[in-house]
Amino acid sequence: MISDFGYCTRLLRKLQAHGITGSVLRWIDSWLTGRQQRVVLNGEGSTWADVLSGVPQGSLLGPVLFTIYINDIDLLALLITLLLKFADDTKLGQIVRSKTDAKNLQDCLDNLMEWAAKWGMAFNTKKCKVMHIGRHNPRTPYQMGGEILETTEEERDIGVLTSCNLKPSGQCAKAANTANAVLGQINRAFHFRDRWTFIRLYKLYVRPHLEFAAPAWCPWNQADIEYLEKVQRRAVKMVSGLGSMSYEERLKELGMETLRERREELDMVETFKIMNGISNVQPGIWFDSATAPDGGRVTRQAADPLNVRVAGARLDIRKHFFSVRVCEKWNSLPSDMKTCKNAKQFKTAYQKLKRSSPPQAENH
């Protein structure tokens, strides 16, 4: 039994609702209660104070308990389009085509505030913002706790900069600037830049900034593509002994590829993971099978049961969205590649296929 109404009682009751009882529940109760904390600065410590809420930071069990504690907020968002939770960061998304849609979103925000008050949580309304997407968006104001939420044009989410026009130019600039700064530090630290050491440092510390989550924000404007490519151009130009070569010749000499080619490879690897259940998402959410009924029509796409239907797109943003841009490339791959045992095997087969294919000209 759970005895007195302590600070962890709400969490323990939620654990009981998930079927966690007996000695495990009592152990968690003992682990959470009776904790104290103090602050130490320059060797001087404050008096000890009881920890009245929260779970121990840095523990393995803490994130699990926090997830269980906030798990039921999904029930408050049944009438809106999207609710995403990542640690203590919650995002709502709503397609607003009418006043009813806007009201459903506002009602959800009100319900979340009531839930927070009931369960001893609190949303920092100063950090809560609204991003209006779409030219026909009514830009309805929303509020939490009586405060009108601030509108934002650009927001960073798990390391990726997202703008209200959904174009990746801001992310490209941020990635290129960060990578250039790191490349400059390496350049100043190494006066003799031999190909093995310098390129290894570039791949370890610079290129990851240019490719982090690239399938989510892959650029399509030539200016953005070239802005990223300039960083790698600068890097390979720093390598000693390659001064008279062109960019393409340097890449070939160093056994490297353009960033654009690498992004295409990342797209294909991610598509393989989705189609084979490795990414833990439903393939049907992203792609339609080419063999599925399509108004009675029989297309060449349906020749391979592993092919996906190429979706129509009118706007560039939709045309270059991940689930649209990868379709034709995926369909062009040999069937045996699509049935590889794992992502590593697929990546090896894809790279072998690229080496056997004629090189594509780069536009500058």
Side-chain angles (χ1 to χ4, degrees), residues 153-267:
E153 301 293 319
E154 196 174 62
E155 200 68 25
R156 185 175 180 177
D157 182 24
I158 318 180
V160 176
L161 203 62
T162 303
S163 62
C164 60
N165 61 12
L166 298 182
K167 294 181 179 180
S169 298
Q171 170 64 21
C172 292
K174 180 182 77 71
N177 291 339
T178 303
N180 262 323
V182 177
L183 182 60
Q185 293 174 342
I186 297 175
N187 184 39
R188 290 189 292 272
F190 292 84
H191 297 289
F192 179 74
R193 299 178 289 273
D194 67 285
R195 65 181 64 187
W196 191 89
T197 302
F198 193 77
I199 292 301
R200 186 178 177 86
L201 291 170
Y202 166 76
K203 291 179 178 179
L204 283 173
Y205 299 109
V206 180
R207 195 168 65 184
H209 292 289
L210 302 171
E211 296 184 337
F212 174 74
W217 54 268
C218 184
W220 63 87
N221 288 332
Q222 189 60 36
D224 293 335
I225 294 172
E226 186 61 23
Y227 200 44
L228 294 170
E229 204 71 45
K230 279 182 178 179
V231 181
Q232 183 163 277
R233 286 175 181 272
R234 180 189 174 201
V236 298
K237 196 173 183 179
M238 292 176 180
V239 179
S240 302
L242 304 178
S244 61
M245 296 182 179
S246 66
Y247 175 54
E248 289 75 14
E249 290 171 336
R250 289 186 179 119
L251 290 180
K252 186 177 181 179
E253 179 70 18
L254 296 170
M256 298 172 60
E257 299 173 306
T258 65
L259 295 175
R260 187 174 197 168
E261 290 172 329
R262 286 181 55 82
R263 286 194 296 271
E264 289 180 356
E265 181 179 315
L266 290 172
D267 274 353

